[in-house]
Every structure is written in C-alpha cells, then in structure tokens.
Amino acid sequence: MTATYRPRVLAVDVGSSDMERLCSILAPAGYDVLPTSGKAAAATASRQSADLVLLDVERPGTDGLATYRRLLAELGGPALPVLMLTPSADRQTRREVLEAGVDDLLITEPLDPLELKVRVHTLLELKAHREAGGMRAEAMLDPRKRWVEMERLARLGTLAADVAQNLGRVGEGLQQALAHVQSRAMQGLPPEVSELKKLGVAGEQMRLHGQHLLSLGPTSPKDIQRFDLREVVPVVVERMRAAGRLGSAEVKVLLPRDPIAVVFNRRQLEQVLVELLANAADAVEDVKDRPRRIHVGVELPDIFGEFGPCMFVKDTGIGIFEDEVGAVFEPYYTTKAPEKGAGLGLTVARALVEAMGGKLTVVSRVNLGSTFTVELPEQTSSW
C-alpha cells in the first residue's frame, strides 16, 4: 500500500519551546516539521525536499529578513513559499516583510492552531501554482498585490479561527439542551419550551456556519465560469423571494442594457449577493414611516478603466451609526436575534469579494438606509 505523502515544513531558527508547539499542531495535521538553522537552511531544504519554510523574524541572535534573503539567493529564487513568524507586527513590520518578498506573516502571540494550519495549507497551494507556472504566481511577484494577499490571508485565517471557536460554543449549548431533553424524557416529562427553543437556535446556527464555511471553500478551475453579470441579480432575487427571505420588502432590479462579460466563480458571487440582500431585507423589516424598498443592480465598468463592473444593494432601512460602519464586516457583529443570523454574512461576503480581487464598501445614514457596493476588478473579456 502506498503511504500518504506528508508535506515537509522546514522550521528555521525556531526556539525549542516554539518548535514543540509547531510540531504538536502540524504533525497531527499531516505535516513533517524539520528544524534547522538559518545557515544550513538552503542545504537542508534541498536535502530534505522541503515544501514550505517557517522562519522566525525576531528570534534573539538572528536576523529573520537577512536569513530569508540568503535562503532566497542560495535557492535561486522563490521556489519555496515562506511563512514568517513574529510575536507581534505593526504595519511597518508587515511592509518590510512584504518588500523583502516574503509570502505571508503570522503573529504567534497568541498562536492560533487553526490559523497556522490554514496559512500552511494556503501557501502549499501557492507552491503548486508556482510549480505549474500559474497566473497566481506571477501576480504574487507584484508587491502591491502581495500586500493585498497578505492582508486577505490574515483576515481569512482569523475568520476561520473565530468560526471554529464559536462552533465549539454552539456545540456545547446543543449538548446541554439535548441533555435536558433526555433527562426530562427519562422522568416521563415533556421538555421545557425554553430548552426546545435553544435546540432550534443551535441547529440553525450550525446550519448557517456550515453554509458560510462552504462558501469560503477553495475554488477549483471548473468553478470559474464566463457569464453575463446581469444574469446573477434576477436569479438570486427570485430564489430568495421564493424562499420567503425578502420578507415584505419591495425589491426593484436595475440592470444596464449592454451585457457585462465577466469570468469569476459564479456560485460565490451569487452567495455575496444573497448575503447583501438578506442584510437589506432585515434592515427594512422594522421600518414604519417610509416604504420598505431595496434596489439591487449592476453598473457598467468605467470606460477609462478606473474600476470594473459593480453590483449594488441599496435599502431604505434603519441605517448604521457612523461609529459602527467599520464594524459591520467584523465576525459576529450583528443586531439580529440568534435564530435569525450568525453574524457572519457580511464578513463572508467581504472575504469572497476580496478573494476575487474586488472590494466591498458601505455608505449609510441612520434612518435613511444603506448602500453596499461590490467593486469587481476590471476585466477585458467581451462577448
């Protein structure tokens, strides 16, 4: 029987206690962690056929960036992805690491096991793209794109860790509610209504978390489609209306006459629109003094190439206070009851849009409404 291949992770200039921690996290996940010094890194990488390098930026007595540059020179280029480890990092440190050409940076105090595994997995995918001569590898050579990618990976890693922790809490609540039902059943008594409600809430939370995690899953080449962006909006609106997810809102679709040819993961783009429309429907639900309206549509790209096509969702809802606008994209920020949402919809929407190279923004005024805009990257595709 053929043994399963275990990727080799080279840990350069990592202290003994940190090395034990890395091994305890990565070894059970299917990785072999190999310690080495900065001076011997290149030789060890070649001898052991390493797949990834972990490098401590600030270990006393070493210079992480100097070690990285020496490793790069001795290997003859960015053949191996490098994840730098640091106990803390301000924006200037991140910029220095970026400008040196490092693939990613992970803060280790505290070290989140799930985030480490997510970063390692993502960088191994990058290595595969590089070896295949993929477009992604070429794009990563651009420092500006590398900076955006580094920030995106940091947010995705943090989001994955947050989701895992919250799922654990939901699971504990589910177990407690089930224990109550079982205890009452053994006594020949019906369960209390409040505990049954907890079961329902926990089940819905588990469903929502699963849906969001699936949305953030990796994209394969077969997921990428060429389509008319205008088609997405009416399809999603009708699907949500049929499912009763738009409530009593009056929804108007606004589309340009000309087709807009794009090449994206259509399923993920539809999920972005679902999250934005669900958010808008909730925002107008309690409005009493004006029509409950949602305008959703697509705008053509700028003719001068300043920006690509845009999707927008505008509502006449309750709006967002100015000091809370930035928080709406943070994980688990929500004003909804637990049974109505997990507080991840807008977070997932932003992560998906940024993974496509776009940007998700919001403009809002209290008691007037909000406008969410998805700015997609400019594409040269045409029909």
Side-chain angles (χ1 to χ4, degrees):
M1 189 171 89
T2 304
T4 303
Y5 178 73
R6 293 173 62 89
R8 296 180 175 88
V9 178
L10 200 63
V12 180
D13 288 335
V14 176
S16 57
S17 61
D18 291 334
M19 187 67 193
E20 291 178 7
R21 178 75 167 138
L22 290 176
C23 288
S24 70
I25 296 170
L26 295 177
Y31 303 99
D32 288 334
V33 185
L34 313 171
T36 188
S37 66
K39 293 181 180 179
T44 306
S46 299
R47 186 174 65 254
Q48 299 288 350
S49 300
D51 298 291
L52 173 73
V53 174
L54 300 180
L55 181 59
D56 195 329
V57 179
E58 300 176 7
R59 184 185 174 191
T62 66
D63 184 337
L65 287 177
T67 299
Y68 168 75
R69 293 188 182 98
R70 183 169 63 250
L71 176 64
L72 203 65
E74 292 177 0
L75 291 176
L80 294 179
V82 176
L83 172 61
M84 276 202 165
L85 310 176
T86 178
S88 62
D90 55 21
R91 192 171 182 84
Q92 180 59 31
T93 301
R94 291 187 182 189
R95 188 170 294 279
E96 289 175 359
V97 169
L98 161 70
E99 290 174 348
V102 178
D103 296 293
D104 199 5
L105 180 70
L106 177 63
I107 296 174
T108 58
E109 291 187 3
L111 176 60
D112 187 288
L114 181 59
E115 185 168 359
L116 173 63
K117 287 184 281 189
V118 168
R119 301 292 187 92
V120 168
H121 176 77
T122 302
L123 288 176
L124 287 174
E125 286 189 337
L126 172 61
K127 177 175 181 285
H129 278 284
R130 283 176 172 167
E131 290 175 345
M135 293 174 59
R136 181 176 173 83
E138 294 177 8
M140 290 294 284
L141 296 177
D142 184 338
R144 293 169 299 179
K145 293 181 180 179
R146 190 189 298 269
W147 176 257
V148 171
E149 183 73 3
M150 186 183 293
E151 294 294 316
R152 185 183 72 83
L153 286 171
R155 276 199 288 271
L156 279 176
T158 302
L159 174 58
D162 286 343
V163 169
Q165 290 173 2
N166 202 60
L167 269 176
R169 289 191 289 269
V170 172
E172 290 174 6
L174 189 60
Q175 288 179 331
Q176 291 171 3
L178 282 172
H180 166 82
V181 172
Q182 291 170 346
S183 174
R184 298 280 289 185
M186 291 177 67
Q187 300 173 50
L189 299 173
E192 296 178 7
V193 175
S194 60
E195 294 300 321
L196 285 178
K197 183 177 180 181
K198 288 180 182 178
L199 274 176
V201 170
E204 178 63 8
Q205 288 281 311
M206 296 287 275
R207 185 191 70 79
L208 289 170
H209 277 76
Q211 174 184 309
H212 292 316
L213 285 172
L214 285 172
S215 297
L216 291 169
T219 295
S220 68
K222 66 180 182 181
D223 293 325
I224 306 300
Q225 302 177 33
R226 185 170 179 269
F227 56 94
D228 183 352
L229 185 61
R230 300 176 306 166
E231 299 172 356
V232 172
V233 177
V235 167
V236 171
V237 168
E238 288 307 312
R239 186 187 304 158
M240 293 185 70
R241 182 178 284 125
R245 297 184 62 186
L246 295 177
S248 59
E250 174 192 332
V251 181
K252 185 175 183 179
V253 174
L254 303 172
L255 302 173
R257 287 186 178 181
D258 296 330
I260 304 175
V262 294
V263 180
F264 289 114
N265 183 323
R266 178 165 178 159
R267 174 182 57 81
Q268 291 185 340
L269 200 56
E270 288 180 355
Q271 185 62 36
V272 169
L273 200 54
V274 165
E275 302 296 354
L276 297 182
L277 281 169
N279 179 76
D282 288 335
V284 302
E285 184 177 357
D286 296 326
V287 169
K288 307 294 185 184
D289 60 344
R290 57 188 179 277
R292 300 171 183 172
R293 288 179 180 153
I294 299 173
H295 288 179
V296 53
V298 176
E299 294 179 346
L300 293 166
D302 177 55
I303 60 173
F304 299 107
E306 292 295 322
F307 54 83
C310 296
M311 296 194 307
F312 63 87
V313 176
K314 182 178 181 180
D315 65 66
T316 58
I318 56 177
I320 307 167
F321 287 104
E322 186 176 353
D323 59 348
E324 295 181 354
V325 168
V328 298
F329 296 114
E330 296 303 317
Y332 301 110
Y333 174 88
T334 183
T335 58
K336 304 175 187 176
E339 65 270 17
K340 294 198 64 177
L344 285 172
L346 294 179
T347 308
V348 168
R350 182 180 69 172
L352 292 175
V353 171
E354 291 182 349
M356 298 175 196
K359 183 168 62 173
L360 176 58
T361 59
V362 59
V363 175
S364 184
R365 293 183 64 186
V366 174
N367 293 325
L368 289 178
S370 306
T371 301
F372 287 82
T373 303
V374 176
E375 299 179 24
L376 296 169
E378 197 273 332
Q379 296 187 339
T380 57
S381 178
S382 59
W383 291 106

